[in-house]
Amino acid sequence: MRVALFITCYNDTLFPQTGIATVRLLERLGHTVEFPENQTCCGQMHSNTGYGDEAIPLIRRFVKAFRDAEVVVSPSSSCVSNIRTAYLRSLVDTGDEALKRDVADLVPRVFELSQFLVEKLGVEDVGAYYPRRVTYHPTCNSLRALKVGEAPLKLLRAVRGLDLIELPDAQECCGFGGTFAVKNEDTSVAMLSDKMRTVLGTRAEICTALDSSCLMHIGGGLHRLRSGVRTVHLAEILASTEGDFIHGERR
Amino acid sequence: MASAAERHTFPELAKRAVADTQLRRNIGNATQTIRAKRAAVVAEVPDWEDLREAGRSLKEHTLRSLDRYLVQLEEAVTKAGGQVHWARDGAEASRIVIEIAERHSVKEVIKVKSITTEEIKLNEALEAAGIRPFETDLAELIIQLGDDVSSHILVPAIHRNRAEIRELFMRKLGLTELSDRPSDLTAAARTYLREKFLTVPMAVSGANFGICDTGTICVVESEGNGRMCLTLPQVLVSVMGVEKLVPTWEDMEVFLQLLPRSSTGERMNPYNSFWTGVMPGDGPQEFHLVLLDNRRTDVLADRTGRQTLNCIRCSACLNICPVYSRTGGHAYHSEYQGPIGAILTPQLHGMESAASLPYASSLCGACYEVCPVKINIPEVLVHLRTRAVAQSGFTLEKLAMGAAIRMFDNPRLLETAQKIARVAQRPFASDGYITGGIGPVRQWTKARDLPAVPSQSFRDWWRTRR
Ligand code: SF4
């Protein structure tokens, strides 16, 4: 399949390894990955913070970049959720019927990575190897907006060498919430401390999820505490093979 | 209600709340317990999702034809011997209640638990008119005696523990001996309240539902104290928001399943009181229904905001909320707390007095998932954020957000910004992490490290492989 990758602005800038892993994984599964270079940001931060109208040029840009794609895949549940739920809502009063039609036409072809693999392709075993003790945090957007359900867990269970530990109170928000993390810093950190407590309680070495943004939050707290536990995006786990570990430790 | 600029913002109040170890424990335990109870009784109902949809569509239908239904209710109540009053705002509603009290030369009224009367500050108005209101709901009594403020729409004194309540009762009820066993505390309150039930001639209540075809008003509760107020006095006044209507008696089958399971985690409320006008020789011989607008029709006019009026005040969204369960209710500085408070307060009292509330959420969506009438609270929160931005003047945030759009709408500018960030972060970065900074980066890095911008972006990598 021809897969157009929507990398998202923060993966592009801060977590290129997540994008690289997504490319390697999809290519290993026999797909052709394309990267439309005029893509940037889906506009989530703006629309969630009350700047939905301002973000309309970004909707237009997204549609232009991906209009011709067979499928669009993104390693970010929150961005996919923004595209699926906020785009048409933002356009309601614009009267730009052509753009609305384009969005309505494109949205069903936009997938979060794990949902794409399990639900669209029907793949669970991607041939990955990752000999680590791992716990999975279901991020709010993947859990409640996209309803990915068991998809990421099915993928993780099929990874060779991986020891999957259940996270207690997993459905509780980590406290990121985009600009919430800085506007309501104290509450955000109070939520984070409970999340870190449960992550540390699993004695896992790695906490994984479908969103680099939430992982940046959890990982930022764990790193500040020098907890010896780090966060890794699901794509990186799924991209790993035995060769990666034999030829040197992965980041 | 007159709107004033927001004096206490959510972040300021929450900062104090999350640092209060006792409060964190009280609220954390209470919300965890009630969450589990709710989950268990909701799981018993195989058609729960259908019930939610029925509740939502009944509310939507009623609100769409509210004008018609209000007139129908007025006619039915009047026919049954009740008197209906219309109040545009809180001041008007309070004046109506005071006039009724004055006509009967009443100096004391007993009250059924009601957030609507809190919303319009009825107690303050009554006191200013020389009339003493006595709260009879146990938790409301604790709040009233302690000169305290409610922190939960259903369990107003959720922030208090038994020891604190014991001390309060001893001090305020003049008791020399009292244990902190719940049964003893309840007994002390009962002795105090019983005298009021038997002597005070007028009661004021809110209403959970107003049933249009029969003209019946409904109040649900757990203690039976409400039932006392609704049956013993000669005069009863109910203040009801115009959004509380349901079309028919049959519709109650939906709401009386949704409400108790969502609120107290019970299959049915211990007390469901219904009354229709006046029944000669039985119960209050004079009944007044005050229909309150107080900006509800403005909310109704707002396409996205109007679903807020579906709310049946069950409090499930408070209990499930990761923010509320850490800050408690006082941080919301409103009689409506938690997710519903964050959307209802700015709509009823004016955005300018509550502009930080729509931001008091990580948009995790747990509230939407539990809401028995399917209010998409995250959607309304985002909608209200848009209004908050539109109503605020010049802010640094607006400037930054505008600049960010120009950057994101131009891949080359985005790349330039990435390059600048790599240089600008140097003073704050070590070993791949940023540990300090200014503005939002400082807020982030107070308790969390931030990954530094790596030397190669994804885009850079993509180009190298072609
Ligand atoms: S918004 Fe929904 S969950 Fe919250 S109190 Fe109202 S009805 Fe209950």
Side-chain angles (χ1 to χ4, degrees), chain A residues 22-37:
Chain A
T22 307
V23 172
R24 291 210 169 120
L25 171 65
L26 291 169
E27 287 181 348
R28 193 172 75 214
L29 294 174
H31 304 287
T32 309
V33 179
E34 295 163 356
F35 180 72
E37 290 207 43

Side-chain angles (χ1 to χ4, degrees), chain B residues 153 259 262 308 310-318 339-340 343 367 370-375 377:
Chain B
I153 57 172
L259 181 54
S262 301
T308 312
N310 293 2
C311 178
I312 55 173
R313 311 281 190 265
C314 73
S315 79
C317 59
L318 280 70
I340 182 63
I343 60 172
C367 48
V370 297
C371 177
V373 283
K374 292 173 103 170
I375 303 173
I377 296 176

Side-chain angles (χ1 to χ4, degrees), chain B residues 264-314:
Chain B
T264 48
E266 290 169 305
R267 297 189 180 94
M268 182 50 77
N269 299 287
Y271 292 88
N272 298 276
S273 298
F274 298 87
W275 67 97
T276 310
V278 170
M279 179 79 71
D282 184 9
Q285 293 302 294
E286 195 176 310
F287 170 58
H288 299 265
L289 177 64
V290 182
L291 292 168
L292 174 74
D293 180 358
N294 210 26
R295 295 206 194 187
R296 283 162 175 76
T297 44
D298 294 343
V299 180
L300 188 58
D302 180 28
R303 192 178 48 211
T304 308
R306 67 170 64 122
Q307 54 187 313
T308 312
L309 299 177
N310 293 2
C311 178
I312 55 173
R313 311 281 190 265
C314 73

Side-chain angles (χ1 to χ4, degrees), chain A residues 125-146:
Chain A
D125 185 350
V126 296
Y129 171 77
Y130 199 80
R132 292 283 179 269
R133 195 175 160 92
V134 175
T135 193
Y136 170 73
H137 165 63
T139 60
C140 300
N141 272 293
S142 60
L143 182 73
R144 301 195 183 89
L146 295 186

Side-chain angles (χ1 to χ4, degrees), chain A residues 13 40 51 61 183 223-224, chain B residues 397 408-409 418 445 449:
Chain A
T13 307
T40 54
Y51 296 83
R61 169 169 291 280
K183 281 179 181 283
H223 188 265
R224 172 64 59 92
Chain B
E397 183 185 281
F408 285 135
D409 201 20
Q418 288 169 343
T445 51
D449 291 340

